[in-house]
Amino acid sequence: MRIAFLPSFRIAAGLLLVALLGVVGCEVLHWRNLVSPEAIVARADEMSWLNSWIEAEPLYRQAESHFTQRRQLSQALYARVSEMPAHSESSTSVPAQIALLTHDLALPEAQEPETRLRVLTVLGMLEVNYDAGMARKTWADVEALAIRRHHYLLASRAMGEQGIAAFLLGDIATAKKKVVKAWFVAKTADPGAHIRYASMYGAGLVEMRKYKEALGPLDEAIKVAKKTRGVAYPTIAITAKVEALSGLGENKEALALASEEMRRVSGYHLAGHLYELYQTRAGVYERMGQWDQAVTDYGQAVQYAKQLSYWRGLTQVDGSLAAAYLHQGALQPALIAINEAIASNEQIPDELYFVPRDLAIKAEIMVRLGDSKSSIILYEKSADMLDALLSRVPTPTVERQLLADLSKVYSGYFEFLCDQGRTADAFRVIERARGRVEAQSLAHHEVVTPHELTPAEQRLTKLNIDLLNTDDSTARRHILDSIYDTELQIDTDSTAGGKAPEPVDLGQLQRELRPSELLVVYVLDNPHSYALAFPNATAAPFSTMCWLPWTSVSINLKS
C-alpha cells in the first residue's frame, strides 16, 4: 500500500455525506417484532455496524423513547447519540454537533463505558470532517476503551480511522502502518471496515490522478459490498470508480456505471446516493464538453440536496451548476443558481467558507451581463469575506480551502481590472492577495475546538452575515473594523494575523525603482496569464500591462 501525497480539501469535505450519512443498505431488511428496548438497540447496532445508520435510526429513536420513560438515562443517551449520523447533513452545522457531543461526554450518564464508547465513536466520525488532528485523538481514545471492553474489531476500526486522519495530516508513515494493520483485520473479519478502507484508498488514488492503480481497491470494495448482506451502499467506491474511468478516458464506461447505479438505487429512494451520483456524472459530462447534460445532472443533484436539506452540498453543487451555465452563456439561469448557493450558505452561518468562491462566480456573471459596477462590488465583497474568514480559521483544513479559493477570487478580479485597463488597481489587488498569503504563513494557528458560542462569537457570526449582505463599501469597512475588534475581544492570540496588510502604493514603489530596474508582476491562470511591467516612475508615468499567452512568456514594454 503506497500513499504519496497529502490529499486535497475535497477528500476531507466529502467524508460526511458519502462515508457516514448517506450510507444505507440497498436490501430491504425485515426483522421480527422486538419487544424490549435492549433488543431494539441490539438490532440497530447490527445495522449500524454495517454502516446502515439511516435504516437503524428509527430503531434507535424508538429505543430512546422507551429508555427515557424508564428513566434509564445512560441507555437513552446511547440511543440518542446513535441517531445523529443519519441526520447530520440535515441538522445543525458540524461544529455545533461536535460541541453537543463534547458536552454529552461530560454528563454523568456518559460515564457508563458502553455509552461513552458510542459517544466517542460518533464524535470521531464527525471530527474527521472538521479537523483530522482532533479526530486522530478521539479515535485513539476509542481504540483504548474498546480494547478494555474487549471490542477488538471496533479497536481495529479505530486504528484504521487514526490512519486515515494521519493521512489527512500528511503523516504518511503512520497512516500506512495503521491502515495496513486495520485493513488486514478487516479483510478476514470485518466486511464493513474492509469496504471503507478499500474505498478510501481508491478514492485517494483518484484524487492523486492515479486512476488505473485506483481501480483495484475500488473494485475490491464494490465486490465485498455486493456479497455482504445488509451492508451499506458503497458510495465512495462507486463515485470514485466513475471518476477513475473518466480520468482514463473511458467516459462511455464511466457514464454506463453511473447510470446503472442510479437505476439500482432509485427504487430505494436513497437521495444521498443519488445526489453524489448525479454530481459525479455531471463532472464526467463536463470533461467530455457535453455541457447540456452536465447542467441537467447538476440540476438533479440540486433537487436531491434540497430534499435532504443538505445546505453544505447545495452551496457546492449550485456553484458548479452556475459555472456550467456560465460556460454555456446562459447568464440568467447562472445568476439564479449562484444566488441560491449563497442563500443556502446562510443556513449554516458558521460555515461560510464557500461564499468567497460563489461571490467571485457571481461577479463573473455580472461582468458578462455588462454590469461592471456590481462586479467590482462583488469582487471586493469576496475579498473582504476571505480576509474576515482567514483572520480566524478554525482548522488547517479550512485554511487550505480558503487559500485555494483566494487564488481563484483574486485572479478573476485581477483579470477583470486588467481587461478594463485599470493597471494600478490590478496591482493593488494581486499584492493584497500575496500579502494575505504571506501573513497567513507567518501566523500561528490553533485549532478552534467546537463549543457553545459565546456572545462575542455570536456577534462575529452575525457580522459575517452582515458583510455578506452589504454592498456599500463604506458599510463593509465599518463591518470589517467591527469584526477585527470582536476577534480581539474573543482572543487576540488566536487570530491569524489580524487585519489583512495593505499593499504598497504603486506610485511610491515606482519612485523607489532605479532607472535601470523593471518590476514584473505576473499572474498565472488558465486559459490566460497576465504580467504587469513597472518601470521607474521617471521612465513612464504609468505601468504597462502585457498579456501573455498561456503557452509562452514574453514581455513588450511601451514607453
Side-chain angles (χ1 to χ4, degrees):
M1 178 177 180
R2 181 164 58 89
I3 302 175
F5 304 105
L6 181 70
S8 73
F9 177 79
R10 180 170 165 268
I11 294 179
L15 285 176
L16 266 186
L17 184 70
V18 298
L20 308 176
L21 312 175
V23 288
V24 61
C26 282
E27 297 184 42
V28 179
L29 301 177
H30 302 279
W31 57 86
R32 65 186 182 277
N33 291 328
L34 304 173
V35 178
S36 71
E38 290 82 4
I40 294 172
V41 166
R43 177 58 185 146
D45 283 347
E46 291 175 8
M47 299 164 70
S48 63
W49 181 252
L50 292 174
N51 290 328
S52 294
W53 292 93
I54 292 177
E55 284 192 352
E57 188 274 341
L59 295 180
Y60 283 126
R61 183 158 27 91
Q62 182 182 354
E64 181 194 3
S65 177
H66 288 309
F67 285 132
T68 301
Q69 290 174 8
R70 290 183 180 182
R71 302 193 64 78
Q72 294 176 284
L73 299 184
S74 182
Q75 293 90 330
L77 177 61
Y78 181 104
R80 175 173 65 78
V81 166
S82 300
E83 297 165 34
M84 291 182 66
H87 298 296
S88 288
E89 288 301 340
S90 58
S91 60
T92 55
S93 67
V94 173
Q97 294 172 72
I98 293 173
L100 176 61
L101 288 167
T102 303
H103 174 267
D104 288 341
L105 281 172
L107 296 174
E109 50 265 38
Q111 306 317 304
E112 194 280 322
E114 292 298 321
T115 297
R116 189 169 191 81
L117 188 57
R118 176 50 58 99
V119 176
L120 286 169
T121 299
V122 176
L123 179 61
M125 292 165 65
L126 291 170
E127 284 178 340
V128 169
N129 198 56
Y130 181 76
D131 177 68
M134 292 172 58
R136 190 175 184 176
K137 180 182 182 304
T138 298
W139 284 112
D141 291 342
V142 171
E143 181 184 6
L145 182 53
I147 290 173
R148 290 200 298 271
R149 302 295 298 172
H150 308 294
H151 299 317
Y152 298 114
L153 286 180
L154 177 57
S156 177
R157 283 191 179 190
M159 180 171 58
E161 294 299 326
Q162 290 173 68
I164 292 172
F167 179 38
L168 294 171
L169 291 167
D171 185 354
I172 308 303
T174 299
K176 182 176 180 180
K177 178 180 178 181
K178 289 186 175 294
V179 172
V180 166
K181 286 184 178 179
W183 198 346
F184 177 78
V185 172
K187 281 186 174 183
T188 58
D190 188 355
H194 185 183
I195 294 164
R196 174 161 169 76
Y197 299 141
S199 297
M200 290 299 297
Y201 181 46
L205 292 172
V206 169
E207 190 71 20
M208 294 182 281
R209 300 185 180 182
K210 296 185 176 182
Y211 302 119
K212 188 173 182 179
E213 190 177 347
L215 290 177
L218 295 175
D219 283 336
E220 181 180 326
I222 294 168
K223 180 180 178 180
V224 174
K226 285 183 177 179
K227 70 179 185 181
T228 305
R229 180 178 176 81
V231 77
Y233 177 77
T235 305
I236 296 176
I238 294 295
T239 55
K241 184 175 180 179
V242 171
E243 292 188 26
L245 291 170
S246 181
L248 290 169
E250 299 175 11
N251 290 310
K252 183 177 179 181
E253 291 80 359
L255 294 175
L257 175 60
S259 298
E260 176 188 351
E261 294 303 319
M262 286 175 183
R263 288 191 296 271
R264 180 183 170 197
V265 302
S266 291
Y268 298 98
H269 309 291
L270 305 178
H273 302 303
L274 289 168
Y275 164 86
E276 284 292 327
L277 287 166
Y278 274 109
Q279 185 182 41
T280 302
R281 192 173 72 174
V284 177
Y285 282 131
E286 275 196 10
R287 287 187 284 274
M288 296 173 68
Q290 297 183 15
W291 291 97
D292 287 344
Q293 291 91 333
V295 163
T296 298
D297 275 5
Y298 279 133
Q300 286 293 325
V302 165
Q303 295 307 311
Y304 284 114
K306 289 179 178 178
Q307 182 179 328
L308 291 166
S309 297
Y310 179 30
W311 304 114
R312 194 175 301 106
L314 193 56
T315 297
Q316 295 180 51
V317 76
D318 254 328
S320 298
L321 177 59
Y325 274 132
L326 190 58
H327 194 279
Q328 287 184 310
L331 301 181
Q332 287 301 329
L335 186 59
I336 292 170
I338 203 64
N339 283 338
E340 187 172 72
I342 295 168
S344 298
N345 216 149
E346 293 191 43
Q347 299 292 326
I348 42 175
D350 51 351
E351 295 184 36
L352 297 177
Y353 313 123
F354 291 101
V355 168
R357 179 209 65 176
D358 289 339
L359 289 172
I361 293 173
K362 185 174 180 179
E364 186 177 352
I365 294 169
M366 301 313 292
V367 170
R368 301 274 193 93
L369 288 170
D371 190 348
S372 297
K373 182 178 179 181
S374 294
S375 296
I376 292 173
I377 292 172
L378 287 163
Y379 275 125
E380 281 294 324
K381 187 190 295 188
S382 178
D384 288 341
M385 284 292 298
L386 275 168
D387 285 340
L389 294 171
L390 281 168
S391 67
R392 196 172 177 81
V393 288
T395 71
T397 298
V398 171
E399 182 181 47
R400 287 195 298 270
Q401 184 227 321
L402 287 172
L403 288 175
D405 284 345
L406 181 148
S407 64
K408 299 173 188 175
V409 168
Y410 279 102
S411 63
Y413 195 8
F414 177 90
E415 182 175 350
F416 167 72
L417 292 170
C418 284
D419 290 344
Q420 289 200 327
R422 298 172 56 178
T423 310
D425 289 335
F427 171 79
R428 175 185 59 81
V429 162
I430 207 61
E431 286 302 297
R432 180 182 175 186
R434 287 171 175 154
R436 169 46 86 184
V437 172
E438 288 299 320
Q440 206 71 17
S441 67
L442 293 172
H444 175 67
H445 311 291
E446 295 285 349
V447 174
V448 179
T449 303
H451 55 277
E452 187 174 346
L453 295 181
T454 66
E457 288 170 330
Q458 291 173 357
R459 173 172 166 74
L460 185 60
T461 297
K462 181 181 182 301
L463 286 169
N464 283 327
I465 294 294
D466 290 343
L467 185 63
L468 173 60
N469 292 325
T470 301
D471 291 335
D472 181 75
S473 58
T474 302
R476 283 205 314 275
R477 291 298 103 194
H478 288 314
I479 293 172
L480 286 170
D481 288 341
S482 297
I483 287 174
Y484 179 59
D485 292 340
T486 304
E487 287 168 346
L488 290 177
Q489 179 185 347
I490 294 171
D491 185 354
T492 303
D493 293 335
S494 66
T495 59
K499 292 183 178 180
E502 289 296 325
V504 64
D505 177 74
L506 178 57
Q508 177 186 346
L509 175 64
Q510 288 187 278
R511 286 191 295 273
E512 293 181 3
L513 291 174
R514 297 172 182 172
S516 60
E517 290 180 333
L518 178 71
L519 174 66
V520 179
V521 179
Y522 60 89
V523 174
L524 301 180
D525 201 3
N526 191 0
H528 298 146
S529 292
Y530 289 80
L532 300 179
F534 300 114
N536 172 271
T538 60
F542 53 86
S543 59
T544 300
M545 182 201 72
C546 308
W547 173 76
L548 304 180
W550 179 249
T551 56
S552 67
V553 177
S554 61
I555 298 175
N556 300 312
L557 295 179
K558 299 177 183 178
S559 60

